[in-house]
Amino acid sequence: MKEHESYMWRCLQLAKLGEGSVAPNPMVGAVLVYNNKIIGEGYHQKFGAAHAEVNCINSVSESNRQSISKSTLYVSLEPCSHFGKTPPCTDLIIKLAIPVVFTGCIDIYKEVSGNGIKKLQHAGIKVITGVLEKESIDLNKRFFTFHGKQRPYIILKWAESLDKKIAGRHGRTKISNEITNRLVHKWRSEEAAIMIGTNTALADDPLLTTRLWPGANPVRIVLDMNLHLPHNLKIFDKEIKTLVFNKTKQEEDGNLVFLKIENDNIPGIVMQSLFKYGIQSVMIEGGAKLLQSFIDSGLWDEARLICNEELTIGEGINSPVLKSFIEVTKEKYNSDTVSCYHNTNSTLSIFASE
């Protein structure tokens, strides 16, 4: 199995190269092996473009084409069996008579979900599943959460001082340094949406873009339940799709969309709405009240905390307090320490086979 895992690791490395370019599709990598040598490899590069299996097979040199039907294919996710933006990858595998296929995990998407494996097996192809399964699921945690839990993957993010304040008594306080500021913009480029509350919109007037990092801007989301925010704020510039959750108005004005919701159980209702809107992941950047409401509801998957260990604020706004968490990483960037936590009550292991 170790040999098969090494090839699957390569699939996961390749798949990662599609990050930020393939959503709402999952990231997928594939390698083709003949006589213990990789003769082809590829990954899903862009939404709507060829899948990993196709790019892998197309990469095989002319001198190795005759070996395809005697090779083993490794794919980090079950090959698709339906017509979407591209034809089914299972049809290509069957056509080329590839005898053995190893997959990292089964695709949770209802149009595939085991059907790809069944189709290959029906054609006489040997299929082995579950090689580096947990790693394969984790790579596409946004995709699996969205389709499996019917909601976006939720990331909480805030910056705090050494004395656990996110702002001073009189409002906005610069906490994180230039390095972690850029890192936050990288994080934004990796998510489908970014969310703030009314107080943060008023106090900071943020753009919520990825201007410090190359990549697409996320959809902007603001909770303004009573529509108190003035429309000269930057988030209302209509340059980027912006969703405004409120309790009175349902209206669409170009890139500015007002969504009416009930003013009860806001975290749950908002996530249900974002699922219907097709948003696979959201990073919640504040403020403290909004972040704490998601923590208290248990509705979060990951938290990223930036702590400036050289700054104390004194009187100010207290940081949110996490519950039921495990620290997974901690990194130092000059004055700032960046810690990542996972919600122990929100696990992806439920999608792994027994």
Side-chain angles (χ1 to χ4, degrees):
M1 185 58 73
K2 291 295 182 183
E3 174 190 346
H4 301 308
E5 287 182 359
S6 67
Y7 293 128
M8 194 59 71
W9 274 119
R10 180 57 181 159
C11 290
L12 296 176
Q13 288 177 331
L14 291 164
K16 186 78 171 170
L17 297 174
E19 188 171 46
S21 301
V22 301
N25 282 355
M27 294 175 280
V28 184
V31 298
L32 192 66
V33 178
Y34 176 68
N35 278 350
N36 299 315
K37 179 183 177 182
I38 293 177
I39 62 171
E41 59 181 32
Y43 66 97
H44 185 31
Q45 299 178 12
K46 186 178 180 181
F47 175 70
H51 287 188
E53 299 92 324
V54 176
N55 289 330
C56 172
I57 290 165
N58 287 344
S59 76
V60 177
S61 66
E62 196 61 40
S63 61
N64 282 320
R65 299 296 295 183
Q66 75 281 359
S67 300
I68 292 176
S69 62
K70 296 172 283 186
S71 298
T72 299
L73 179 66
Y74 294 81
V75 192
S76 58
L77 186 70
E78 174 186 5
C80 67
S81 55
H82 70 293
F83 280 89
K85 297 286 184 181
T86 60
C89 292
T90 50
D91 289 1
L92 178 62
I93 296 168
I94 293 168
K95 178 183 177 181
L96 295 175
I98 296 173
V100 182
V101 175
F102 283 82
T103 70
C105 59
I106 293 173
D107 192 339
I108 198 172
Y109 183 53
K110 62 182 180 180
E111 296 292 339
V112 184
S113 195
N115 292 324
I117 291 170
K118 290 176 184 176
K119 190 172 183 179
L120 294 175
Q121 291 173 331
H122 184 73
I125 294 171
K126 183 179 180 180
V127 182
I128 297 92
T129 63
V131 181
L132 297 182
E133 183 178 41
K134 289 184 179 179
E135 292 84 353
S136 299
I137 291 172
D138 186 66
L139 175 73
N140 285 302
K141 54 193 176 185
R142 296 161 181 81
F143 178 81
F144 275 86
T145 297
F146 182 80
H147 290 286
K149 297 183 178 182
Q150 308 277 285
R151 65 164 175 81
Y153 186 81
I154 303 168
I155 300 171
L156 311 179
K157 171 265 166 184
W158 71 88
E160 68 179 25
S161 61
L162 187 60
D163 56 346
K164 298 191 179 302
K165 298 289 191 296
I166 67 167
R169 182 180 177 185
H170 300 292
R172 185 177 184 183
T173 305
K174 181 175 170 57
I175 296 177
S176 53
N177 63 38
E178 295 305 316
I179 299 174
T180 52
N181 282 344
R182 192 173 293 271
L183 179 62
V184 169
H185 284 238
K186 177 180 182 295
W187 292 344
R188 289 177 179 177
S189 73
E190 296 166 351
E191 307 310 329
I194 181 171
M195 181 189 295
I196 59 172
T198 307
N199 292 337
T200 299
L202 276 173
D204 298 351
D205 190 17
L207 271 170
L208 303 181
T209 65
T210 60
R211 60 194 179 279
L212 300 181
W213 191 267
N217 291 310
V219 173
R220 300 182 295 201
I221 302 168
V222 60
L223 269 62
D224 183 19
M225 300 308 296
N226 297 308
L227 296 179
H228 285 162
L229 293 175
H231 278 210
N232 61 350
L233 295 179
K234 296 184 181 73
I235 56 171
F236 295 123
D237 61 13
K238 298 183 183 178
E239 294 295 319
I240 303 164
K241 176 73 77 175
T242 302
L243 310 181
V244 183
F245 284 98
N246 68 95
K247 62 180 181 181
T248 59
K249 186 177 181 181
Q250 183 82 22
E251 183 179 294
E252 187 165 342
D253 181 13
N255 270 339
L256 187 57
V257 181
F258 292 87
L259 297 173
K260 181 181 177 181
I261 61 171
E262 297 298 325
N263 199 12
D264 295 317
N265 184 27
I266 289 176
I269 293 172
V270 168
M271 290 303 123
Q272 288 174 16
S273 297
L274 293 184
F275 173 76
K276 293 175 183 177
Y277 218 83
I279 291 176
Q280 285 194 3
S281 66
V282 58
M283 185 159 69
I284 302 174
E285 289 206 20
K289 184 178 178 180
L290 177 62
L291 288 162
Q292 195 65 53
S293 70
F294 277 86
I295 294 169
D296 291 343
S297 70
L299 203 55
W300 64 282
D301 299 290
E302 187 177 326
R304 298 173 185 176
L305 170 57
I306 301 170
C307 178
N308 186 330
E309 297 184 343
E310 298 177 1
L311 174 69
T312 56
I313 291 177
E315 288 189 49
I317 301 173
N318 292 329
S319 301
V321 179
L322 288 175
K323 304 172 183 177
S324 303
F325 64 90
I326 182 172
E327 184 179 83
V328 289
T329 61
K330 177 177 279 189
E331 298 175 319
K332 184 79 171 172
Y333 297 90
N334 294 337
S335 61
D336 293 349
T337 296
V338 179
S339 302
C340 179
Y341 304 93
H342 285 173
N343 184 349
T344 54
N345 294 325
S346 179
T347 175
L348 290 171
S349 63
I350 59 174
F351 304 124
S353 58
E354 295 296 331

